[in-house]
Amino acid sequence: MTSEASVEAFSGGRTEVRGERVYRHDVVARTTHWVWALAILVLVMSGLQIFNAAPYLDASDKSNPARRVLAFGAVTVDGQPVRVTSVFGHRFTSARVADTAPLSDVRAFPEWATLPGEQDLADGRRWHLLFAWVLFVAWLAYLVSQGIRGKLRELVMRPADFKKLVPMQLYYCRLRKEPPPYGTYNPLQKLTYNVVLFVMFPLLIITGLALSPGIDSAIPWLTPILGGRQFARTWHFLLMALLIGYFATHLFLVITTGMWNNMRSMITGWFVLGEHDGVGP
Amino acid sequence: MKRRLFVASSLSALGLTACGPVKESLTNGPFRNVLLSTEKLNHGVIGTHGLAREYREADIDRNFRVNGLDTPSDATYAALSKGRFREYRLVVDGLVDRPQTLSLAELRAAGDRTQITRHDCVEGWSAIGKWRGAPLGTVLATAQPKTTARYCVFHCFDADQSGERYYESLDLHEAAHPQTLLALDLNDKPLDDDHGAPVRLKIPTQLGYKSAKWVQRIELVADLTPVGGGSGGYWEDQGYEWYAGI
């Protein structure tokens, strides 16, 4: 089968062509997208505030320095407080702390990165627990509304999509002239959104709930399958780091693949099709 | 394109510098009531169900980490500690039919439960200890709470540097939970002063700050607002949740 023939076979009578304006994201999809963006921002910043109260992570149930994965701290060198970061027991001494504040005042994450800015575990928890609900409700609203409209079909990975992942990556790496034919989202986009929506969001919620002594009593099997409470805390932190990695990639691709077109589609819903958009399933 | 990038980066730089005041006004402005309301939702959804996990002897932390403050400087407390708490009496009063004044021996006779449970601090760390004492529900029952009583307030010997007394509270549902203990022993030894001697609360279904140390008096009340700062506990008055199940 030639590639032209396969394009025709896959397009199934669709007439979308380059330059055509299509209404891509409905109002629920757009709203929930921006609610997620806000919720993730608040959750990361308030999460770092909470992390600062015990700036270390263990791969264990109870706290156990012998199984410490990551630790932020400070030591005094020549009368100056110096930041120390330990990763699997390897200590990295970083830049000197500017002032000679007491060691206990040295924070793992700085003021600009936390919510509230100053050390305030109580309010950090309030923000975190509220926006956890916001994220959860927006996630549910998106899945239900898109499910009802039949739009999830455009997004969910199908077996055929997995075969297109390598060609798509080769195209991105400029090692292939044409991308494989795809529909609304290209196969790598689909995979990424599927991982974020169906793996990372649920796991972030589950690992967060596993930290709760109330949940641990009510659902006693949950915390152990994650390796215990401190391990759940470690997973929760790791997932946060992965989500930030995703966000950076997302931002980069939004900017480099037609920033204004992408932004408009997420604000007004209207998207101008590119050369390869919407030619396949 | 360059101009757009410049505008975008200037806007984000402006955003970062405005961040401090924005965060401040959001946290303490009218939005504060929304922030505080989540607690009721979490209390309703998570609540107190089931029993906390109980561990094996091998899991115990022999040097159990001290949470909160260490030994109180209170003069009465110091005198009691010096006399090895022979003169200590736990008072149970308020909305009860039979106010109680219990010595440590009487408290031990009131009930006996041993549990190896994990203590989850609000800061994020966890430690496992073996707690032995009388279930709070049994002790409260001897005092026969009136039907108007809804909460028990734990008045403690401790006070902070500004003289603010340390206290905590539970509703009678949580107080009656079989693992809610008035603990006298930690890891097979009577509690030491740093860990809350001679009597502390131990409630493994909630975060560590609910497990008040150095309990002096248990008062049954109908309403928490007239007590202390009105939020149901010392840490609650500082902004922490009264429901500490998450």
Side-chain angles (χ1 to χ4, degrees):
Chain A
M1 210 194 288
T2 67
S3 79
E4 263 176 42
S6 67
V7 167
E8 217 164 86
F10 279 130
S11 62
R14 291 170 78 165
T15 52
E16 292 171 355
V17 285
R18 180 181 189 179
E20 190 187 339
R21 275 163 64 96
V22 293
Y23 188 64
R24 171 165 277 194
H25 304 298
D26 63 49
V27 67
V28 179
R30 273 142 45 209
T31 310
T32 50
H33 170 272
W34 293 113
V35 171
W36 292 339
L38 175 72
I40 289 168
L41 178 75
V42 171
L43 284 165
V44 167
M45 292 176 73
S46 56
L48 295 179
Q49 166 73 248
I50 296 169
F51 176 84
N52 271 356
Y56 43 78
L57 297 169
D58 296 345
S60 56
D61 185 17
K62 62 175 183 176
S63 295
N64 182 356
R67 291 180 62 84
R68 197 137 289 176
V69 173
L70 179 70
F72 294 93
V75 292
T76 311
V77 176
D78 304 331
Q80 279 253 349
V82 168
R83 284 177 179 275
V84 178
T85 305
S86 304
V87 183
F88 290 106
H90 300 285
R91 284 163 61 120
F92 301 95
T93 315
S94 35
R96 273 164 196 274
V97 176
D99 49 9
T100 48
L103 282 188
S104 57
D105 287 356
V106 175
R107 295 159 52 115
F109 289 98
E111 271 191 33
W112 62 263
T114 67
L115 183 71
E118 74 277 18
Q119 193 70 43
D120 188 343
L121 175 59
D123 279 352
R125 283 170 47 80
R126 301 264 184 193
W127 279 103
H128 204 74
L129 296 177
L130 172 62
F131 277 81
W133 278 107
V134 172
L135 182 73
F136 175 69
V137 170
W139 176 70
L140 218 59
Y142 173 82
L143 291 185
V144 169
S145 84
Q146 303 299 292
I148 288 170
R149 289 161 196 244
K151 295 272 280 182
L152 278 184
R153 263 175 297 183
E154 294 174 7
L155 187 75
V156 175
M157 283 293 274
R158 288 160 191 283
D161 292 319
F162 287 95
K163 291 179 203 140
K164 298 184 196 168
L165 290 175
V166 173
M168 191 68 211
Q169 188 62 58
L170 289 174
Y171 170 72
Y172 267 144
C173 298
R174 297 169 191 265
L175 292 169
R176 204 184 125 111
K177 256 186 136 167
E178 295 283 311
Y182 59 80
T184 307
Y185 303 108
N186 80 49
L188 282 172
Q189 250 183 314
K190 271 194 182 184
L191 179 70
T192 311
Y193 295 153
N194 280 226
V195 168
V196 171
L197 281 175
F198 305 122
V199 182
M200 287 177 71
F201 278 13
L203 280 182
L204 275 159
I205 293 167
I206 290 167
T207 53
L209 286 176
L211 304 177
S212 145
I215 292 285
D216 196 20
S217 302
I219 314 171
W221 50 265
L222 182 64
T223 309
I225 59 170
L226 297 166
R229 182 172 190 254
Q230 296 302 312
F231 219 139
R233 202 167 165 260
T234 305
W235 291 127
H236 199 64
F237 189 88
L238 192 70
L239 283 160
M240 181 270 306
L242 288 174
L243 198 65
I244 290 177
Y246 157 74
F247 174 69
T249 314
H250 181 62
L251 214 60
F252 174 76
L253 286 167
V254 164
I255 293 168
T256 55
T257 62
M259 176 163 156
W260 305 108
N261 190 28
N262 287 331
M263 289 297 282
R264 186 187 51 237
S265 78
M266 214 25 108
I267 294 167
T268 68
W270 290 95
F271 182 76
V272 175
L273 292 174
E275 188 178 352
H276 304 292
D277 290 316
V279 296
Chain B
M1 198 64 200
K2 267 189 180 159
R3 191 175 56 91
R4 282 167 170 176
L5 271 178
F6 173 75
V7 171
S9 53
S10 322
L11 280 177
S12 44
L14 197 69
L16 273 180
T17 40
C19 233
V22 168
K23 285 192 276 193
E24 167 70 20
S25 63
L26 278 176
T27 303
N28 296 322
F31 189 65
R32 177 133 204 104
N33 287 331
V34 183
L35 272 184
L36 297 181
S37 65
T38 325
E39 180 186 348
K40 289 193 183 73
L41 186 60
N42 289 332
H43 193 182
V45 173
I46 299 170
T48 305
H49 298 283
L51 296 167
R53 185 187 325 284
E54 299 203 15
Y55 292 82
R56 299 163 303 151
E57 292 273 340
D59 300 319
I60 294 173
D61 281 300
R62 292 293 157 188
N63 289 313
F64 193 89
R65 186 168 167 179
V66 174
N67 73 309
L69 308 164
D70 54 17
T71 306
S73 50
D74 184 277
T76 324
Y77 183 82
L80 284 170
S81 176
K82 216 171 176 187
R84 299 195 163 238
F85 299 105
R86 273 187 302 269
E87 306 301 317
Y88 171 86
R89 297 292 181 272
L90 176 70
V91 175
V92 186
D93 62 3
L95 297 174
V96 295
D97 285 334
R98 302 175 125 215
Q100 301 285 310
T101 309
L102 301 164
S103 69
L104 290 180
E106 286 168 320
L107 209 49
R108 283 192 191 274
D112 187 11
R113 183 186 165 91
T114 303
Q115 63 196 28
I116 303 172
T117 51
R118 198 184 63 217
H119 175 102
D120 293 334
C121 180
V122 67
E123 290 176 345
W125 54 268
S126 307
I128 294 173
K130 183 182 188 178
W131 307 93
R132 183 177 180 185
L136 175 62
T138 332
V139 177
L140 292 183
T142 60
Q144 297 179 6
K146 293 183 193 293
T147 48
T148 47
R150 297 191 64 80
Y151 305 95
C152 47
V153 179
F154 306 89
H155 297 280
C156 304
F157 283 108
D158 202 21
D160 69 12
Q161 283 148 342
S162 58
E164 211 63 51
R165 300 294 294 186
Y166 190 89
Y167 72 106
E168 251 308 333
S169 62
L170 295 175
D171 64 26
L172 292 189
H173 170 67
E174 280 146 358
H177 190 281
Q179 289 171 317
T180 304
L181 282 192
L182 283 173
L184 293 109
D185 297 345
L186 168 60
N187 296 347
D188 302 310
K189 282 188 285 248
L191 288 167
D192 62 31
D193 291 2
D194 281 349
H195 286 100
V199 178
R200 77 174 292 177
L201 185 67
K202 192 69 205 81
I203 170 165
T205 48
Q206 297 203 29
L207 295 170
Y209 66 84
K210 292 300 281 189
S211 292
K213 305 198 276 189
W214 315 291
V215 178
Q216 184 178 19
R217 171 180 167 224
I218 304 174
E219 181 192 11
L220 282 100
V221 298
D223 180 15
L224 290 173
T225 48
V227 188
S231 302
Y234 174 84
W235 291 112
E236 287 83 340
D237 291 336
Q238 324 280 318
Y240 287 88
E241 293 94 342
W242 180 78
Y243 171 71
I246 183 162

